Amino acid sequence: MQIHAIQTGFVRTKTAQIEGRGHGLLRQLAIFTDRNWTEWLPIYAWVDHPEGVIVVDTGQGSHLLETSKSLHPYMRWEAAFKIEREQEIGPQLRALGIGPRDVKKVVLTHLHVDHDGGLAHFPHSRIVADSGEIARAAGVRGALLGYLPRRWPSWFDPAPLDFAAEPFGPFSLSRRLTEAGDVLAIATPGHTADHVSVVVRDGDTIFFLAGDTSYNEALMLAGKVDGISADEHISIATLHNIKRLAQRDSTVYLPTHDPNSGTRLASRRLAGKCGGSEGSPIVHAMS
Ligand SMILES: [Zn+2]
């Protein structure tokens, strides 16, 4: 099994998005009044192949840069992206020797543009996402919420992830993504109401491909809700469950925008701990 961290460009947002300020609607509006930008943060996508390649999120796409500036007040003023065409996930996979037909499955943690922006590279893959997230992101309502459904490839018709009441650690819902059961999707609501994460079990170690459950590991450990989440209590419960998992099992926590996710993967550094077994042969970070 291999996990590759593939960086598909950069994003920066207002600092009030990364760590929410205040509560309720004020916390969400604080993104618009905040004048402070974060540094440029990575946009990671993840690839894993136990029984055929599984891609987790597709990163940003260079064709979306201009569109994303014009559609929505959040996109226009509160987020900025940088990506060159050769930094998209397709060319980076080809550099790893993985062609479009090698990718058996694409799992989307959610449908924000920096996670589904590389979909065009996967016309032959089975694409799965949570049905609630698919419904929320579609149509006019989705566009009003800051999704870009009109920029999805015309063939995009994701299969719903049907979760089963099969607990994984503190999480009550999961769905196997491999026959071996070593790759699972789990429901991690918060950043969006139907956000999912993917966990990869490698021996005693869990690689937690976290999407946007938090923007970095420190915020997860501190239980700090971001500025986007609709429901603080749900977000806090999810962050708490990830922390409980990390306290119980050896867990490498890998959020999409954490500048340290690539090195943490390469060194298998466990959440909340320094060190780890350096230089594992099974994991690679690419930029
Ligand atoms: Zn997001």
Side-chain angles (χ1 to χ4, degrees):
M1 177 159 12
Q2 289 187 308
I3 303 174
H4 302 277
I6 295 179
Q7 186 178 337
T8 63
F10 295 88
V11 60
R12 64 176 185 162
T13 70
K14 298 298 182 60
T15 57
Q17 176 172 336
I18 303 299
E19 181 176 349
R21 294 184 197 151
H23 300 282
L25 187 59
L26 285 178
R27 176 177 47 81
Q28 294 174 300
L29 291 174
I31 294 171
F32 291 88
T33 55
D34 185 5
R35 289 163 174 262
N36 300 309
W37 289 88
T38 65
E39 61 186 309
W40 286 101
L41 302 172
I43 304 169
Y44 279 117
W46 313 90
V47 187
D48 165 63
H49 42 131
E51 297 165 13
V53 177
I54 300 172
V55 168
V56 180
D57 284 341
T58 65
Q60 179 59 289
S62 58
H63 64 297
L64 295 170
L65 294 182
E66 290 311 308
T67 315
S68 61
K69 275 184 181 162
S70 63
L71 277 182
H72 186 272
Y74 168 81
M75 289 295 199
R76 190 176 177 91
W77 289 302
E78 312 304 337
F81 301 96
K82 278 199 299 197
I83 183 167
E84 304 289 335
R85 213 174 156 72
E86 62 274 18
Q87 294 174 320
E88 293 182 16
I89 192 166
Q92 294 209 57
L93 287 179
R94 275 195 290 283
L96 290 170
I98 300 169
R101 290 186 186 277
D102 300 322
V103 178
K104 189 174 170 186
K105 201 173 281 178
V106 174
V107 186
L108 298 170
T109 61
H110 61 304
L111 296 175
H112 284 162
V113 65
D114 47 342
H115 298 256
D116 73 6
L119 278 172
H121 296 289
F122 302 101
H124 310 294
S125 309
R126 177 176 168 81
I127 298 173
V128 295
D130 185 277
S131 55
E133 180 74 10
I134 297 166
R136 188 175 304 98
V140 174
R141 179 163 169 258
L144 290 172
L145 289 170
Y147 294 94
L148 296 181
R150 280 175 292 186
R151 301 294 296 190
W152 288 337
S154 57
W155 46 260
F156 180 57
D157 184 20
L161 255 179
D162 295 319
F163 283 107
E166 291 177 10
F168 177 80
F171 298 92
S172 53
L173 299 175
S174 72
R175 161 77 189 270
R176 282 174 171 229
L177 297 172
T178 56
E179 291 289 321
D182 50 358
V183 184
L184 300 99
I186 54 173
T188 50
H191 178 74
T192 65
D194 298 288
H195 185 281
V196 304
S197 298
V198 174
V199 292
V200 180
R201 287 194 287 212
D202 179 46
D204 292 335
T205 303
I206 293 167
F207 292 92
F208 197 104
L209 309 185
D212 289 356
T213 50
S214 71
Y215 286 89
N216 62 49
E217 182 178 291
L219 290 168
M220 178 276 288
L221 293 170
K224 299 269 191 183
V225 177
D226 67 19
I228 295 276
S229 304
D231 188 314
E232 280 168 52
H233 300 292
I234 289 174
S235 288
I236 288 170
T238 289
L239 295 173
H240 182 67
N241 282 339
I242 297 169
K243 188 174 174 180
R244 278 174 62 201
L245 178 73
Q247 287 169 338
R248 196 193 69 169
D249 297 315
S250 299
T251 303
V252 182
Y253 181 62
L254 302 169
T256 298
H257 304 296
D258 188 333
N260 295 320
S261 282
T263 52
R264 200 179 294 135
L265 170 66
S267 63
R268 301 172 73 103
R269 191 172 69 71
L270 304 179
K273 299 189 177 69
C274 295
S277 52
E278 299 286 325
S280 161
I282 70 149
V283 288
H284 309 276
M286 287 185 68
S287 59

